[in-house]
Amino acid sequence: MTSFPVQIEFLKQHSSYAQRWLHSRPEWVEWLRLQGARKVDVAGIRDLLTPCQDALASPDQDEAQFMADLRLARQRLMLWIAFRDLNGMASLGEVTHALSHFAEEVVALSIAYIREDLKRRFGLPWSTVTGSEMPLMVVGMGKLGGLELNLSSDIDLIFLYEHEGDTQGGPKSLSYHEWFTRMGKRLIKLLAEHDANGFVFRVDMRLRPNGDSGPLVCSLDMLEEYLLVQGREWERYAWIKGRLIAPLPESPDFAHCERELDQLIRPFVYRRHLDYGVIASIRELHAQIQHEAEKRSSNHHGRSRDIKLGRGGIREIEFLAQMFQLMRGGTDPRFRIRPTLEVLDLVKQKEILPASEVEDLKAAYIYLRRLEHRIQVWEDQQTHYLPEDEGARTRLAASMVDPNQTQDRNAFMSELDKHQAAVAQYFEKAFVLDDAARLDNTSLPAGWEPNGMLFPESATRWLSWTDSSKQRQLPEKSRIIFNNLIRKAADSLQADQPTGISADQTLLRFFDLLEAVARRSAYLSILSEYPQALSNVLALLKASQWGAEYLTRHPHLLDYLLNSRTEKALIEQPEQYWQEVKATLEMRLNDVMADGDGSEQAMDILRITHHTETFITLLADLGIGVDRELSVEKVSDHLSALADLILQTTFERVWPSVAKKFGLPIDATAPFAVISYGKLGGKELGYASDLDLVFLYQAEETDFAAQEIYALLAKRMINWLTAYTSTGSLFEIDTRLRPNGSAGFLVTNADAFKKYQLREGDNAAWVWEHQALTRARFSAGSKVLGAFFDDVRFEVLSQKRDVDQLRHEILEMRRKVHAGHPNPTPDFDLKHDAGGMVDIEFIVQFLVLAFSNTYPQLIGNLGNIALLRIAGEAGLIQASMAQNVGDAYRLLRARQHRLRLDGAEKTRVDLECEPQLVKAREVVLALWQEIFLAPSNA
């Protein structure tokens, strides 16, 4: 370990500022010997400020002494930090956090000091909202807000107060505005004025509403009006870092002030949708800043390389992080954080950028910030220019390693170049600075139109569009992007004509999509900024009419066409994937429901989550962004898991309001279960399937109050699931499979359900209800009640039955279903015709009900194919027949699925050109005849 004398010498060698102070205050050397090995923390900072804290208790104020004590504390802190930083004992986080916490402490102490004088002369401002003294709210912006202050930072501040009024309790009264203005002016003086001991912080107030021309302090009402009426795009970026630093977090006023401020700032900074418009805006702002930096550099010798604002500098990393925050913070609360390194960690965790790129950016950020500190600590100057003098660069090279290490100037410059080149490369890629990669956003040549031979209908549509009022009402920039996107799509389709669907049809679908999003510039931005997104959109439009319509209804899903990492995670690690979806959903719901009901916003979040996960499944289904298409079974597995997740979350979010209404404990799990039947019960859900649900509750059968409670819970859940909001709807719900169907109660007592299914009493289940039970399972609610249902289901299905009577009843029911779905065409209905999917489902249901008493392995809700295999292994049907009918079911489902994706309402096909389907139908008909001894459609 390096000795203290060597460490002190290293500090002096790399900081003439430290040399001066240690020369004028030699006793501080001994203080550093004792203090230097200790991490700089809040307790240590408060020790430095003890004289200032003591001054607050003094009846007589000595402002000059208070200012001197603040400044001497600052100089000692700077030496402490510089000593630890240069000698390799302090992380970047320790340095920036220490400086930021010191700023918070001196602001709080100064406010308390000034308050005593203003109180004595003018009384105090009083909040009508809290019924207590109204504090000055100080917002730290920029690096202070992000806990990222450097060794010679300004502090960017905004002064706010709650509302207007007049002070009370003093010999003279002032308006709140005047009282807080006086406080603000004196606060700036205490911090920024130079005396023999230097200054504490330079204070920059230019980020306040209207900048230098605006009032020094403003009320929350004034801030709100300013942001609504005049707030500019760059101010959104600035407010990302905005953090309330006074009152301090331990103050009783802090929570109220932070909540009031957050309610104003959050909707201004973060949009409720993915905001791709920020890419172009930040690109323009970056160009302006870089232009200004280059202009300053060219006018001053020795300023050729700015490590903050120049190419590959700190600001480019910060802009990258802020782009993802602005883009995603409205829909993902995790992005509403301030420190740049934490944002980059989240970008890595969410796989928005490759992990290697994020690690490069983090390494560059830490390196550049450490270099920035070494440049600044030399003279305690706020500079970001790399000196051109070779001697100074040699000194910097030595300061970037520990005292017991060496590094020459060339190695230092090489490492700096490597970091800045990586930053510049990733920045240019993220902001699409390569003009050739972006859409040409100049006006189309006069008279351009799609090729009428290849795109006859689209050419007509184009002429209608160019002459329409809708086109004329668009902003010019949006109109140019729209037109160029149509041309780009036409060129792409002409070069790579799709099979199975005409290029013209694909372009018409693209027209539909663009017209739906034309007024949302952020969506146009995705397609114009990212060629990969446009390519994937066209692939989707070619592959599926249903997918095209779904994307047109929910254009926020365009984001998921940018990369395929999400689909891969869904396919490769489904269990972990759904856990993360659940965690993200819970976090977003907590965010909107924290301050009250928030049920409307919660319903929107559920819908957006469902749309998103459905769309991600669709992309994997179509093979977009993945190596191989998902099988129809996997698609259904994912859609069923998603529906279960939505049901469970809805139950968890609705129950507290019901419990509160009836005075029940909110945190206890309700004895309530959602049982799914049909497609969801059998985990064969499609993209637009209804949900067949039955609601059970556990209580004494004579407890009619319980029925009222759980009926309300079920009704509210159904409302959450079916209501059409601004973001669309979730599911159609069918509850007719409950005991006694539509004539029965909406919710069923669990014990009564058991008696009904076991036919213990006058009111008994029909055979078709036991058929339905073969595909039923617990989906959401109380796991205890779910286990009760599983036991009832096992008991019902394992009953011994009269096989001939059962065969007769199921055959009759199949013929009723057949009569309800007549097919007047010569085509084969994959689902309802004899030899189709319903026949297979009835066969399996018969096998389960007839033989589970002897073969309990048939009771598991394993799906039709697995149950056929089990029946074959048990010798109930021929194993080869079980295999063939299982394969037929898989083929029929896959064909039905594709037809639905292509927008078909009825899934009927002409068998003349379908030898595979002819064979599949034949094996199904053969097994049906073998089991039921009569056709299903007689």
Side-chain angles (χ1 to χ4, degrees):
M1 184 173 173
T2 312
S3 66
F4 178 72
V6 173
Q7 291 173 328
I8 278 289
E9 190 55 38
F10 196 70
L11 170 64
K12 291 178 180 178
Q13 183 184 340
H14 295 290
S15 175
S16 61
Y17 157 77
Q19 283 180 40
R20 288 195 303 275
W21 275 102
L22 292 176
H23 178 72
S24 64
R25 297 272 180 166
E27 69 276 15
W28 286 1
V29 174
E30 187 57 30
W31 173 77
L32 271 178
R33 182 192 301 276
L34 300 172
Q35 198 74 2
R38 179 184 162 192
K39 181 179 179 180
V40 188
D41 57 14
V42 174
I45 289 167
R46 288 178 175 169
D47 285 345
L48 292 176
L49 291 166
T50 300
C52 304
Q53 186 68 49
D54 293 344
L56 299 182
S58 173
D60 301 315
Q61 288 196 340
D62 182 346
E63 189 168 287
Q65 185 59 48
F66 184 78
M67 291 173 68
D69 289 340
L70 283 176
R71 281 149 182 75
L72 290 170
R74 186 260 186 190
Q75 310 307 351
R76 291 170 76 194
L77 178 78
M78 287 283 285
L79 292 174
W80 187 7
I81 291 172
F83 176 81
R84 287 182 56 75
D85 187 21
L86 283 165
N87 283 288
M89 293 187 280
S91 66
L92 174 63
E94 180 184 330
V95 173
T96 58
H97 279 66
L99 290 162
S100 303
H101 288 309
F102 180 76
E104 294 167 23
E105 294 291 329
V106 298
V107 166
L109 283 168
S110 300
I111 287 173
Y113 187 83
I114 299 160
R115 173 190 171 278
E116 289 303 313
D117 178 50
L118 290 178
K119 175 186 174 184
R120 187 174 62 252
R121 294 161 60 199
F122 306 110
L124 293 171
W126 206 254
S127 168
T128 59
V129 179
T130 62
S132 59
E133 181 185 342
M134 183 189 296
L136 175 69
M137 297 161 63
V138 181
V139 181
M141 305 289 281
K143 285 191 163 54
L144 174 55
L147 292 169
E148 296 169 328
L149 280 185
N150 58 44
L151 282 170
S152 289
S153 283
D154 291 355
I155 54 174
D156 295 293
L157 303 179
I158 293 176
F159 298 151
L160 303 168
Y161 59 97
E162 195 171 8
H163 59 75
E164 302 294 352
D166 296 304
T167 57
Q168 304 167 20
K172 185 181 176 185
S173 181
L174 291 178
S175 70
Y176 291 178
H177 185 267
E178 177 60 27
W179 196 92
F180 283 116
T181 299
R182 292 188 183 210
M183 176 174 273
K185 286 178 178 177
R186 287 186 63 187
L187 175 57
I188 293 169
K189 176 190 173 187
L190 290 183
L191 298 179
E193 192 173 277
H194 282 252
D195 67 10
N197 297 302
F199 63 95
V200 188
F201 287 105
R202 290 172 290 267
V203 177
D204 191 334
M205 298 295 299
R206 289 175 297 174
L207 292 178
R208 69 186 189 269
N210 293 308
D212 286 337
S213 61
L216 187 67
V217 299
C218 65
S219 68
L220 292 180
D221 283 346
M222 179 188 164
L223 174 65
E224 181 177 28
E225 183 179 355
Y226 173 81
L227 295 177
L228 282 172
V229 177
Q230 299 183 58
R232 288 158 291 184
E233 196 71 12
W234 67 263
E235 287 174 293
R236 288 179 63 204
Y237 318 146
W239 273 101
I240 285 178
K241 298 278 192 186
R243 179 171 62 90
L244 190 68
I245 64 165
L248 288 171
E250 58 262 34
S251 159
D253 297 313
F254 178 81
H256 170 71
C257 293
E258 186 181 48
R259 186 169 58 251
E260 292 287 301
L261 182 64
D262 187 59
Q263 287 173 355
L264 298 186
I265 299 305
R266 186 194 296 181
F268 171 67
V269 175
Y270 299 109
R271 305 295 187 245
R272 289 181 66 182
H273 52 78
L274 284 157
D275 186 3
Y276 277 88
V278 302
I279 298 171
S281 300
I282 294 182
R283 189 165 56 223
E284 289 166 14
L285 180 61
H286 171 262
Q288 291 171 16
I289 290 172
Q290 202 163 47
H291 176 70
E292 289 297 318
E294 287 168 1
K295 197 160 71 173
R296 285 197 302 272
S297 298
S298 64
N299 293 337
H300 294 82
H301 177 67
R303 290 189 174 185
S304 63
R305 189 154 179 177
D306 187 331
I307 65 162
K308 177 182 178 182
L309 302 179
R311 183 176 183 271
I314 295 166
R315 182 55 53 84
E316 289 192 351
I317 304 173
E318 292 171 339
F319 272 172
L320 256 174
Q322 286 176 319
M323 175 185 80
F324 292 119
Q325 287 183 275
L326 286 169
M327 191 187 294
R328 297 171 183 275
T331 59
D332 188 340
R334 285 173 294 188
F335 279 95
R336 298 174 204 160
I337 50 180
R338 298 176 181 92
T340 300
L341 288 174
E342 288 184 26
V343 178
L344 291 175
D345 280 334
L346 186 56
V347 167
K348 176 183 172 182
Q349 178 194 328
K350 299 280 287 179
E351 298 186 329
I352 296 166
L353 290 179
S356 60
E357 292 186 13
V358 176
E359 289 304 319
D360 288 348
L361 288 167
K362 287 172 62 182
Y365 181 79
I366 293 168
Y367 186 87
L368 292 170
R369 290 300 309 272
R370 291 181 68 243
L371 176 58
E372 174 188 49
H373 291 161
R374 281 148 181 73
I375 292 171
Q376 292 174 344
V377 80
W378 176 246
E379 280 289 358
D380 188 20
Q381 288 182 339
Q382 189 189 21
T383 177
H384 304 93
Y385 292 103
L386 187 70
E388 293 186 354
D389 173 67
E390 289 190 2
R393 289 190 175 185
T394 300
R395 176 178 50 73
L396 278 174
S399 73
M400 289 295 286
V401 295
D402 293 342
N404 54 0
Q405 296 177 309
T406 58
Q407 178 180 236
D408 64 28
R409 185 175 69 247
N410 291 335
F412 159 64
M413 291 303 296
S414 174
E415 186 167 7
L416 175 60
D417 289 342
K418 181 193 79 173
H419 284 303
Q420 289 196 286
V423 172
Q425 177 192 344
Y426 299 144
F427 183 86
E428 287 166 10
K429 178 178 158 189
F431 286 92
V432 203
L433 295 186
D434 178 6
D435 290 335
R438 293 203 309 273
L439 189 73
D440 181 9
N441 281 338
T442 56
S443 296
L444 292 183
W448 181 89
E449 60 183 58
N451 182 326
M453 296 290 289
L454 189 59
F455 306 104
E457 290 187 55
S458 297
T460 304
R461 177 87 170 263
W462 170 259
L463 293 175
S464 301
W465 163 256
T466 54
D467 197 36
S468 68
S469 59
K470 188 184 284 189
Q471 188 255 162
R472 288 191 294 274
Q473 288 165 5
L474 283 180
E476 183 183 7
K477 183 178 178 183
S478 296
R479 187 165 62 249
I480 289 171
I481 292 175
F482 185 111
N483 294 345
N484 275 289
L485 284 170
I486 291 293
R487 181 176 70 169
K488 178 78 173 173
D491 291 347
S492 174
L493 291 167
Q494 192 161 347
D496 182 23
Q497 293 186 31
T499 55
I501 175 179
S502 71
D504 194 23
Q505 193 64 41
T506 306
L507 192 57
L508 284 173
R509 291 175 182 177
F510 191 55
F511 254 116
D512 290 338
L513 174 64
L514 284 190
E515 286 200 33
V517 304
R519 294 187 171 278
R520 302 289 290 275
S521 59
Y523 296 142
L524 292 178
S525 295
I526 298 177
L527 296 170
S528 65
E529 297 285 351
Y530 291 103
Q532 186 60 44
L534 178 57
S535 171
N536 285 342
V537 164
L538 293 177
L540 171 66
L541 301 185
K542 291 175 200 172
S544 168
Q545 181 182 331
W546 186 88
E549 291 169 353
Y550 196 76
L551 179 60
T552 301
R553 284 199 308 276
H554 309 297
H556 63 271
L557 300 169
L558 280 167
D559 176 58
Y560 297 92
L561 289 162
L562 289 180
N563 65 64
S564 57
R565 283 187 280 273
T566 312
E567 295 99 278
K568 287 176 181 172
L570 171 66
I571 294 167
E572 293 167 8
Q573 299 171 312
E575 193 171 320
Q576 181 183 337
Y577 180 85
W578 289 115
Q579 287 174 358
E580 288 180 11
V581 171
K582 172 74 169 167
T584 302
L585 177 58
E586 291 297 332
M587 180 184 57
R588 293 184 64 191
L589 291 171
N590 289 339
D591 184 51
V592 298
M593 299 184 81
D595 296 326
D597 178 30
S599 57
E600 283 190 30
Q601 285 176 284
M603 288 163 71
D604 283 344
I605 286 169
L606 280 176
R607 281 151 180 73
I608 290 168
T609 299
H610 184 259
H611 299 157
T612 299
E613 299 308 324
T614 299
F615 190 66
I616 289 167
T617 301
L618 172 68
L619 294 179
D621 183 6
L622 296 173
I624 295 173
V626 291
D627 298 332
R628 195 173 59 188
E629 297 174 0
L630 277 185
S631 68
V632 66
E633 291 91 347
K634 288 291 184 186
V635 170
S636 290
D637 284 347
H638 293 317
L639 293 176
S640 300
L642 175 59
D644 286 351
L645 171 66
I646 297 292
L647 287 170
Q648 180 64 30
T649 304
T650 302
F651 164 69
E652 291 168 359
R653 294 294 168 165
V654 171
W655 169 243
S657 67
V658 176
K660 187 176 178 183
K661 179 179 174 65
F662 290 99
L664 298 171
I666 291 173
D667 53 351
T669 301
F672 181 88
V674 182
I675 308 302
S676 55
Y677 281 70
K679 292 293 185 189
L680 178 57
K683 294 190 177 179
E684 293 184 351
L685 207 62
Y687 288 111
S689 296
D690 295 354
L691 303 189
D692 294 299
L693 303 179
V694 168
F695 301 107
L696 301 182
Y697 69 93
Q698 191 88 58
E700 295 294 328
E701 286 193 62
T702 54
D703 186 350
F704 299 113
Q707 188 173 68
E708 182 186 358
I709 291 166
Y710 298 115
L712 180 62
L713 173 58
K715 284 175 185 173
R716 288 191 177 176
M717 283 186 67
I718 290 170
N719 180 55
W720 271 50
L721 294 166
T722 60
Y724 199 89
T725 74
S726 60
T727 52
S729 61
L730 281 169
F731 302 106
E732 292 292 325
I733 305 290
D734 191 334
T735 61
R736 290 174 297 176
L737 287 175
R738 65 188 187 267
N740 300 309
S742 299
F745 292 113
L746 179 61
V747 294
T748 304
N749 180 286
D751 293 323
F753 177 81
K754 179 178 180 178
K755 290 176 183 175
Y756 179 82
Q757 293 290 349
L758 291 171
R759 298 174 172 172
E760 296 174 353
D762 298 334
N763 189 23
W766 297 79
V767 168
W768 68 263
E769 291 178 281
H770 287 175
Q771 284 181 253
L773 200 62
T774 64
R775 287 160 62 86
R777 63 184 178 85
F778 165 72
S779 271
S782 161
K783 290 183 179 177
V784 173
L785 194 48
F788 174 89
F789 167 78
D790 288 340
D791 291 342
V792 171
R793 179 178 177 275
F794 186 93
E795 190 174 350
V796 171
L797 297 185
S798 59
Q799 286 181 311
K800 189 167 182 61
R801 291 176 171 82
D802 181 327
V803 174
D804 290 333
Q805 178 66 23
L806 178 68
R807 180 182 290 113
H808 172 73
E809 291 190 38
I810 289 182
L811 181 60
E812 287 302 306
M813 177 53 65
R814 174 65 186 103
R815 288 173 174 174
K816 284 181 183 177
V817 171
H818 207 292
H821 295 84
N823 178 8
T825 73
D827 293 341
F828 173 54
D829 189 310
L830 299 172
K831 180 175 182 180
H832 292 292
D833 278 357
M837 292 164 61
V838 175
D839 272 11
I840 300 173
E841 290 164 2
F842 271 59
I843 288 169
V844 171
Q845 289 161 15
F846 170 78
L847 292 169
V848 170
L849 293 175
F851 301 111
S852 289
N853 177 260
T854 310
Y855 300 98
Q857 62 266 42
L858 287 166
I859 293 175
N861 193 339
L862 305 173
N864 291 312
I865 294 172
L867 290 170
L868 283 165
R869 178 179 50 77
I870 291 168
E873 290 169 354
L876 301 174
I877 57 176
Q878 293 176 37
S880 59
M881 183 71 86
Q883 177 70 45
N884 292 338
V885 173
D887 290 344
Y889 190 69
R890 187 179 287 114
L891 174 65
L892 291 166
R893 278 195 67 199
R895 284 302 307 275
Q896 180 196 48
H897 184 66
R898 287 294 152 199
L899 287 169
R900 289 262 163 84
L901 283 178
D902 286 334
E905 283 187 32
K906 302 284 188 184
T907 51
R908 294 170 179 166
V909 294
D910 181 354
L911 289 180
E912 283 196 16
C913 313
E914 300 277 358
Q916 265 192 306
L917 285 178
V918 170
K919 185 179 175 184
R921 187 186 187 192
E922 285 171 354
V923 298
V924 175
L925 289 171
L927 182 58
W928 180 275
Q929 187 66 31
E930 182 180 312
I931 287 176
F932 290 101
L933 313 174
S936 65
N937 59 347

